[in-house]
Amino acid sequence: MAKSILIPTLIAAKNIDSLNRSFVSTVDLDNGNVFGKGELSTNSNESQVYKTVTPATDSLSGLYMAFSPEDVVLTDDLGNQFKVGTLDPRAFTNRANVVFSGFKPQVGDLVLISADGISGGTAKAYAVATNGSSVLAFADNAISGLSFKVVETTYISVASANNIGSQRVTAYLLECVAN
């Protein structure tokens, strides 16, 4: 299954450091997945790293969105880590128990996310946070928690190791209307 692609088109977190945090999760999270900020990690090698919390009905506000560069980190037998780029960002995910970056969406932020990053099949007017899931879901209306208005249906061009040239994947330009 392809992983979601997230392009933070115009977000306040690019210029406001306090909207960015480091996280660690017990499950894999794709870029564009949403989650709550939990307690600080107690691991000695994880300074200022927060645990993720799966969104719940009573806590769909104040969520963060996963966004890390689509680099693959390889670790050798000596513990040295190397980053190599991945040709196809749909193969990337933020691995469980590995620190990754996230930002807090603000009203007015614009993000471009591939169709794999939103559940519910057919596009609707909004993409919203839902109970028990880190994946945004299509909805007819905004909710009182994290909500994005679908501005347009478009595409993201990605390279493919199996296909010379580029390949288009369906994507949605979303504007945050409630956080």
Side-chain angles (χ1 to χ4, degrees):
M1 181 175 137
K3 308 297 181 187
S4 66
I5 303 169
L6 176 71
I7 299 173
T9 307
L10 182 64
I11 61 170
K14 285 185 181 178
N15 298 313
I16 303 173
D17 291 341
S18 63
L19 297 176
N20 297 282
R21 294 282 189 266
S22 295
F23 294 93
V24 66
S25 177
T26 58
V27 298
D28 291 351
L29 291 173
D30 292 347
N31 281 340
N33 284 172
V34 297
F35 49 87
K37 182 177 85 170
E39 299 295 320
L40 275 170
S41 172
T42 55
N43 290 346
S44 61
N45 62 340
E46 295 176 351
S47 176
Q48 297 183 10
V49 174
Y50 294 87
K51 297 177 184 177
T52 63
V53 177
T54 302
T57 300
D58 58 345
S59 60
L60 296 177
S61 296
L63 299 177
Y64 283 75
M65 181 173 275
F67 178 65
S68 292
E70 291 93 355
D71 292 333
V72 177
V73 177
L74 302 176
T75 305
D76 66 16
D77 290 339
L78 299 174
N80 298 314
Q81 292 187 335
F82 303 92
K83 280 192 173 189
V84 294
T86 180
L87 183 59
D88 190 339
R90 295 171 297 176
F92 176 80
T93 192
N94 296 291
R95 295 282 177 211
N97 304 311
V98 176
V99 177
F100 67 94
S101 298
F103 70 93
K104 192 173 194 176
Q106 300 298 297
V107 172
D109 282 358
L110 291 172
V111 296
L112 183 63
I113 189 168
S114 63
D116 293 313
I118 307 173
S119 67
T122 306
K124 295 186 179 178
Y126 294 88
V128 301
T130 59
N131 180 41
S133 176
S134 292
V135 179
L136 294 173
F138 284 118
D140 292 321
N141 300 299
I143 62 169
S144 61
L146 184 61
S147 301
F148 292 89
K149 182 177 184 354
V150 177
V151 176
E152 74 174 320
T153 302
T154 184
Y155 64 89
I156 297 172
S157 294
V158 295
S160 172
N162 300 326
N163 195 3
I164 295 175
S166 67
Q167 183 177 353
R168 291 181 171 187
V169 295
T170 302
Y172 302 95
L173 181 63
L174 306 177
E175 180 179 2
C176 184
V177 294
N179 57 356

